[in-house]
Amino acid sequence: DAGVIQSPRHEVTEMGQEVTLRCKPISGHNSLFWYRQTMMRGLELLIYFNNNVPIDDSGMPEDRFSAKMPNASFSTLKIQPSEPRDSAVYFCASSFAGTVNTEAFFGQGTRLTVV
Amino acid sequence: QQQVKQSPQSLIVQKGGIPIINCAYENTAFDYFPWYQQFPGKGPALLIAIRPDVSEKKEGRFTISFNKSAKQFSLHIMDSQPGDSATYFCAANQAGTALIFGKGTTLSVSS
């Protein structure tokens, strides 16, 4: 398996524009996570899905952020409108969640710069 | 809010030294405690993990020590090498929930 695939790897956009980040989880995994990484706040959980259903979105900072998982092999994180403070590295991760925890595999991340 | 507190923020050791990174958690329901390693430009990758039924786990040069009563766990890197220079994150969760990460420790191993 190619692992968790994120696109794009880098995104530079102007303030106010819509940004869509994409993620393809590892086949067979039933949990998907979106994290944001900054120097100040480290790795913050934004939202996670189990069996394509959002379970906890309490980490989504504002209504400008939304995430979807229309099927088991694809998820998007959208920011509309984007602001300079949204600049960060966004990671998608997936795992197989059962009665015990298993390893979460991370993608390479999308580095977002909002100017 | 559930938190995992990690220290120190940064660490510099000489080759062969034994860096130690510490983490403390609050939620007694947590039952899985992994450490992730991240190199620049890459996503975090699992290094080693422990469950609360054991007090220590060793994999190669990496050891986790776990103190359930104190709600603390730590990572020791034996005979550290320049290639170990990276950012290390502790994390915790319980089955069915997302990992909560510490803020990370940037380790630099000088040759």
Side-chain angles (χ1 to χ4, degrees):
Chain A
D1 200 319
V4 176
I5 300 173
Q6 292 187 245
S7 63
R9 289 294 312 277
H10 303 273
E11 177 80 38
V12 180
T13 190
E14 291 186 347
M15 182 173 63
Q17 296 299 305
E18 176 180 297
V19 175
T20 300
L21 311 181
R22 296 173 175 79
C23 175
K24 176 179 169 55
I26 293 173
S27 178
H29 283 184
N30 60 358
S31 290
L32 183 139
F33 313 88
W34 283 100
Y35 287 89
R36 177 172 67 177
Q37 184 175 29
T38 61
M39 288 294 292
M40 288 294 294
R41 302 172 72 91
L43 270 167
E44 298 176 277
L45 175 69
L46 298 177
I47 185 171
Y48 81 93
F49 296 83
N50 195 36
N51 294 320
N52 311 337
V53 176
I55 302 301
D56 182 359
D57 65 354
S58 60
M60 297 285 263
E62 301 170 31
D63 291 345
R64 298 184 296 107
F65 286 69
S66 63
K68 294 182 180 179
M69 192 165 185
N71 57 62
S73 59
F74 184 65
S75 177
T76 59
L77 178 67
K78 185 178 293 185
I79 308 173
Q80 166 64 21
S82 58
E83 296 183 3
R85 58 194 168 122
D86 302 330
S87 297
V89 181
Y90 291 80
F91 286 103
C92 175
S94 72
S95 71
F96 179 77
T99 55
V100 294
N101 290 310
T102 58
E103 178 179 356
F105 293 81
F106 281 75
Q108 297 271 52
T110 295
R111 180 173 295 277
L112 173 65
T113 303
V114 183
V115 298
Chain B
Q1 183 180 356
Q2 301 176 15
Q3 288 186 344
V4 177
K5 295 183 179 179
Q6 183 173 346
S7 64
Q9 186 175 351
S10 63
L11 197 50
I12 301 174
V13 299
Q14 289 190 331
K15 179 181 175 181
I18 306 175
I20 300 172
I21 306 171
N22 301 298
C23 280
Y25 62 98
E26 299 174 352
N27 188 343
T28 55
F30 287 157
D31 59 6
Y32 179 64
F33 303 90
W35 285 89
Y36 277 74
Q37 181 187 54
Q38 184 182 31
F39 293 104
K42 303 293 186 182
L46 179 66
L47 185 63
I48 185 173
I50 197 168
R51 300 187 191 276
D53 52 345
V54 297
S55 60
E56 185 174 282
K57 183 175 181 179
K58 185 175 182 179
E59 289 185 1
R61 296 183 293 106
F62 301 91
T63 300
I64 299 179
S65 296
F66 184 80
N67 185 330
K68 187 175 181 178
S69 61
K71 294 188 287 186
Q72 296 176 345
F73 57 111
S74 60
L75 176 70
H76 298 62
I77 305 175
M78 309 301 289
D79 186 27
S80 57
Q81 301 296 311
D84 296 330
S85 298
T87 300
Y88 293 82
F89 293 92
C90 62
N93 71 342
Q94 58 186 114
T97 67
L99 284 169
I100 304 300
F101 285 87
K103 290 198 172 183
T105 297
T106 301
L107 172 65
S108 178
V109 181
S110 61
S111 55

